[in-house]
Amino acid sequence: MVTVASELLTSRFLMGRRRRQLRPDELQALEACIVDVRTLPARTTFVTRGEPLAFSTLLIEGWISRHRDTAEGQRQGVGLQVPGDFVDLHGYPLGYLDHDLTTITACRIGLVPHERLSILMAERPHLVKLLWFSTLLDAAMHREWIFRIGRMGAAPRVAHLICELHARLAIVGLATDAGFDFPLTQQDLGEACGLTNVHTNRVLATLRKRGLVSVARRRLDILDLPGLHDFAEFDPDYLFLEDDARRHSAIGRRAEGG
Amino acid sequence: MVTVASELLTSRFLMGRRRRQLRPDELQALEACIVDVRTLPARTTFVTRGEPLAFSTLLIEGWISRHRDTAEGQRQGVGLQVPGDFVDLHGYPLGYLDHDLTTITACRIGLVPHERLSILMAERPHLVKLLWFSTLLDAAMHREWIFRIGRMGAAPRVAHLICELHARLAIVGLATDAGFDFPLTQQDLGEACGLTNVHTNRVLATLRKRGLVSVARRRLDILDLPGLHDFAEFDPDYLFLEDDARRHSAIGRRAEGG
DNA sequence: CGATATTTTGACATACCTCAATGGCGGTGG
DNA sequence: CCACCGCCATTGAGGTATGTCAAAATATCG
């Protein structure tokens, strides 16, 4: 388990995106909005569709799934959240969510009352623009997911999600180009890709045979990152990474004419 | 063609959602942000992925598609915009878009410079929260699209999109429970649903045979709205409609215990 | 009224799903 | 430390929804 360098609960928020635009006083103001820190066990649904919300949740440690379920018990993932994500900030302007939030691993979360956000709205327009920006990152990822599920075959689809998770974890210091801790079951992965667990299993077998990635024992090993990016036709423009974050690893090299 | 009652270019913005929260002075302030009105011909791409943006676009009349294209020329729709939608307001916090914007019909659009939005940020926090809200509606629709494409069969999938468009057009006065003008080709519809045009054609045939909807000559006739909602398992919670808008037609009746 | 885009139909291919059984790993308690 | 139990991963056989390719019919536009 990697230790966070800074003491701040918000230390990973917007890391690798527009964090440099966060002035120290703004960061302090945001940090001060976190009135409580809680630990949730794995596989716990803590926000349900339609429930009125008075708090938003900053994810400090752990993984969270956003999902919608059918009456027949089928589940479609609509997002995956990793440390640094302001999981349900959109609950503040919306008032309730259209989907559920469930922990995948045990999680540490910070609670931010909506009244505090209203104070920021009035007093800190520049910070608010960054908060707004962070909710739009989710929307951009949603669009990529629509594209992925709508037009890509199963194997590149899974590969693409792995590329996305790698890029997002890398910028918050939780992945290297060699791999990362990976708590998703094949069931979870399938739910995020619109696939059954059985077919997800077969896809992972082909990705391993192709020498791209290997998933085992809650760990994902990247065998060939450029090959994986090619196979998935991964272009990280939609993640709105800072230039620095893109140069630090193979992420985004393709766009720079490699 | 329906005539807009009010003279305001923004008259349909947030109509049926939280428009009542827009105070008259806020509406005026927003209207004053529109520095230019233009007409675009049908089938014109006017914003491309990655291009730096200095304006956002309010759609006054016409239909617009948001989409991502593959290298091989396949297209996946990631959103459809109808009058009243602030099409690329998210370009303001993001700086550029991750997708393209293309007109489907000829369109009237209002241009809003980002500097004007920055002034609103500083001076009108309450209005900004409503603008933020409106961008999150897109995100909520994206999530529903992920669900639709990931877990529903082709026929309910198309039916669900039709339900969504009906609900959205109804609240801005462009649809009745009998139907609405429908400029999408079967190709367009397929692109929005992750289907081929051939299969979309077959799906529309079955929806007609089931007595649900009939699409012909740029017009969509609803034959059985409750039946359509049932078939699509349509629940409009994700559209964040005002209570009034939900009571005015069959939209949302199901949620009220019908 | 001709040209072009769109819709419709058919035959065939295939990617993914379903159901079902087996195998392996990890945690828990004796 | 070992044995058990439950979850998760893996494999197989067979079905089906949707895609592909191609041609004909029909609408739309200039």
Side-chain angles (χ1 to χ4, degrees), chain B residues 185-187 198 201-202:
Chain B
T185 64
Q186 294 181 7
Q187 178 76 28
V198 173
N201 179 275
R202 294 188 165 124

Side-chain angles (χ1 to χ4, degrees), chain A residues 171-190:
Chain A
I171 58 178
V172 295
L174 293 174
T176 68
D177 286 2
F180 47 92
D181 289 337
F182 189 74
L184 300 186
T185 64
Q186 295 181 5
Q187 179 76 29
D188 295 327
L189 200 50

